[in-house]
Amino acid sequence: MSRTSPIPPRALVADIGGTYARFAVADLVTLEVSAVRRFRNADHASLAEAIRFYLNDVGEEVAHAGIAVAAPLLEDTVQLTNAPWSFSQSALAGEAGLGHDSFVQ
């Protein structure tokens, strides 16, 4: 018999573009999306700060995330193509207050 890890019930989902960051919380069982918000990237110093702001704003605590970014993912450090944000994939989860296994390359 194989062991499977339980699916977390909710996760942060995000689409990070050059001008705006779009966030929502997804129910991973029903695939329903809630708490959709859009923020200007220029209003936050970093992606981690924007994530913390969003989660605080909607009153959610999640340990997992799926994030789409406007940038090539060639190495650990990601520099957005049309925005000044850059981040380390390996450090982002901790900086944003998410679980350590939130981001998978």
Side-chain angles (χ1 to χ4, degrees):
M1 181 171 4
S2 66
R3 296 174 85 187
T4 59
S5 29
I7 296 173
R10 298 168 66 74
L12 170 74
V13 291
D15 174 24
I16 311 302
T19 305
Y20 292 98
R22 296 161 192 85
F23 298 102
V25 174
D27 182 305
L28 299 179
V29 175
T30 66
L31 301 182
E32 292 182 23
V33 177
S34 62
V36 177
R37 303 280 193 284
R38 180 180 82 160
F39 301 107
R40 289 181 41 83
N41 294 359
D43 293 341
H44 301 279
S46 67
L47 177 55
E49 179 185 302
I51 291 170
R52 288 190 309 269
F53 180 85
Y54 166 76
L55 292 173
N56 186 58
D57 183 54
V58 299
E60 287 283 349
E61 288 187 26
V62 297
H64 294 65
I67 299 176
V69 295
L73 302 177
L74 304 175
E75 296 181 17
D76 185 55
T77 300
V78 175
Q79 172 64 56
L80 293 180
T81 306
N82 296 318
W85 286 349
S86 65
F87 61 91
S88 161
Q89 294 180 69
S90 60
L92 182 59
E95 292 170 2
L98 300 169
H100 70 281
D101 61 345
S102 296
F103 300 92
V104 179
Q105 294 183 8

